[in-house]
Amino acid sequence: MPNMLSTGVSGLLSMQAALDTTSHNISNASTVGYNRQGVVLSENQPQFTGGSWVGTGVNVSTIRRFYDDLVSAQVRTASSAKSQWDAYSSMADQINNMIGDSTTGLASTLQNLANAFQGVANSPSSSSERQVLLSKAQSLVNQLQSYGVQLSQLDTQVNSQLGSEATLVSQLASNIANINAKIASVSSRGSDLPNDLLDQRDKYIDELATHVTVSTVKQSDGQVNVFVGSGQALVLGANATKIVAVPDDYDLTHKKLVMQSDAGAQVDISKSINGGTLGGLIDFRDELLTPAQNNIGLVSVAITSLMNDQQHAGLDLYGARGTDLLATGGVGVRINTNNTGTATVSATRTDVQALTTDDYLLTRTATGWSMQNSLTGQAIPTTGSGTALDPLVVDGLSIVVAGGAAAGDKFLIQPTRDAVAGMSLKISDPNMIAAAAPIIAAASSANTGSATITQGEVVDSANGSLQTTVNIRFLSATTYTTDGGATVNAYSSGQDLVMNGWRVKISGTPAAGDNFTVSSNTGGRGDNRNALLLANALNKSYLNGGAASVNTAVGNWIADMGVRSNQAQANATTQASVYQDATNAQQSVSGVNLDEEAANLVRYQQAYAAMTKVITTSNELFKTLLQAFS
């Protein structure tokens, strides 16, 4: 009975393998990244005996790994998106809560400043109201500077996290490459690939997907090539490339991501990375953090420009023309560390209304200079050659280049980023708040006509003749002269008269000989006209080429931040659900079901016992046969 014995032994060994595999599944039921396994049995070759084919038992052809490439790819995609939005939303909330708070945020502080100016307008000579105004102005400066510091700290945090994430990605890439090498070694011997080694490699790839978008390509020898971002090769067979966070070419505190070869060559991939925590951090920095830093700077510049211009158009309690209320930092210019020339670049703001929240990249070409948006790379048209007499002019900036620039030299121009750091309150004396208008218009008490004149407003505070007295004398109901001049001017009711940097409006019907005077507002302690203009300055159409006021711009910016923050939270919630669904689908294929494994244990144990009986029976039959011939 040797065939019966070998058949029983083959079944016994096969059931033992099945029991071992089932035990392995149960032992790893809670192991992260484990894919359940199962024996694949196949018949042995039959033997031809006595005119018939007789079976010779069973063998284990392979230990199957329950794994679905498509489902696993879906899990990685969902995991990458979830991690990206988790990182983005947590960072976005910090900015939104800081600046957009309805009680303590920027909009509230701006309103407090406007209310303080209104308080001065209500009581122009009140020292207490003026002191409150200076206090509110200082609070605004402090708050804007606090925003700048907190945003800088957030930038430092992002840069630190980019470094940590890059280190983790590089380590995972090295681990995957090492396993690839082991798999290739096993494959070269012609044996089946070890399932547990495949699980270990996939676990590393799954973890990698939480840091950056991942795609894989299988090779014929069982190795996988791993690509990240928009297609950058991270692992090719047994070779891994490092991702490193290195200082930016313009700012040593700012990090960029590069792929670094063993020879030290670096390729900037900052704009190519997407998905995962790395993608979320980079998107947050580009879409919210950098614009927030520039927006805070633009708000600082705009408020300073508006307030100072209006101060200049008024008189303080000393009867002097108003001086600057606020000051800000200048335009930031950063030199590329790879420049070979000796050129230096200086930039000044010449038109606040034309400023944007963009940063610019100034590049020396073979024929001159080119300008691009530093984030999008879009070309920006400029005028001028860059000399002191003919500066480059772009979006409210005047740029002068000194020294010798080599072709390819680059400079980063940041129009508003540094403004808030240099912001300060320049007035400490409350009497120096220019609440009064510098001119006053009045009608002569001897006038007999019905014409009236407005008090007058300033249209050009820099005009040297602004406070020079001007007499307007009517020759008739339709003509007048100024200061007794020979020029006769036509008059119609309600028309504007603009002279010496001021504007008045005369309405009604004057009589011949009627006289009106525009003169310096000497002793105008109770005048509040300029204070009213200061109170309304933040509502004046000023930014975006005169299309938006500071209040409107701030409101739009806060609303945009709120929308982005809420959308990020919604996306994070959605992706968490998508990830859970994908994980459930994967577990339905690869997960260990303990009830099923328990049933398999019983089934294989019974089969094992039956095979033992077969062997015992074969042995007894063989002994009986031997005894028959003894």
Side-chain angles (χ1 to χ4, degrees), residues 48-84:
F48 187 77
T49 303
S52 300
W53 291 95
V54 179
T56 60
V58 66
N59 69 85
V60 177
S61 61
T62 188
I63 305 295
R64 177 188 175 190
R65 177 173 176 250
F66 288 85
Y67 183 82
D68 189 304
D69 288 326
L70 178 60
V71 172
S72 293
Q74 291 173 340
V75 170
R76 288 168 186 162
T77 299
S79 173
S80 182
K82 176 181 177 297
S83 296
Q84 175 184 4

Side-chain angles (χ1 to χ4, degrees), residues 122-202:
N122 294 340
S123 301
S125 59
S126 170
S127 296
S128 60
E129 293 292 348
R130 288 169 173 264
Q131 192 61 57
V132 167
L133 172 57
L134 290 184
S135 176
K136 295 300 182 181
Q138 185 62 61
S139 295
L140 174 64
V141 171
N142 293 343
Q143 186 167 31
L144 289 172
Q145 289 187 328
S146 175
Y147 288 157
V149 171
Q150 292 179 70
L151 291 174
S152 294
Q153 291 173 343
L154 204 54
D155 189 47
T156 299
Q157 180 182 341
V158 170
N159 286 319
S160 176
Q161 285 188 251
L162 287 176
S164 300
E165 289 289 318
T167 299
L168 287 172
V169 167
S170 297
Q171 183 60 57
L172 291 170
S174 177
N175 293 342
I176 294 167
N178 290 337
I179 297 177
N180 269 345
K182 295 177 182 179
I183 289 174
S185 176
V186 173
S187 177
S188 67
R189 297 197 293 268
S191 62
D192 289 339
L193 299 179
N195 291 329
D196 298 311
L197 206 56
L198 296 178
D199 283 350
Q200 187 178 359
R201 184 180 66 187
D202 284 330

